[in-house]
Amino acid sequence: MKFFVKAVITGFALSLGSALFKKVQKHLGLGEDKDKDKSTAEVVKQDGATDPGLHQRFS
């Protein structure tokens, strides 16, 4: 029972911390642009597919 209570309290605390961080991240200069992330993610996907130095072994 103690374990369950601790898990619920921890989950609530993490959720609350996440919500607070989302509210203040722009004021702290930690916010990221969503458009920037999308373009970067697309470039990373493309680089992985076309990198000639990337070798995978299949056993």
Side-chain angles (χ1 to χ4, degrees):
M1 184 68 178
K2 281 185 176 181
F3 178 76
F4 178 72
V5 172
K6 286 181 182 181
V8 169
I9 292 172
T10 301
F12 179 74
L14 290 173
S15 177
L16 182 63
S18 174
L20 288 173
F21 177 74
K22 287 179 182 177
K23 290 276 187 183
V24 299
Q25 69 182 352
K26 289 182 182 178
H27 296 291
L28 296 175
L30 299 173
E32 297 179 2
D33 296 332
K34 291 184 180 181
D35 295 333
K36 183 180 176 185
D37 290 341
K38 288 180 183 177
S39 63
T40 303
E42 187 63 31
V43 170
V44 170
K45 279 190 215 175
Q46 291 174 356
D47 288 347
T50 59
D51 185 6
L54 182 65
H55 298 287
Q56 291 181 336
R57 281 193 222 180
F58 298 100
S59 313

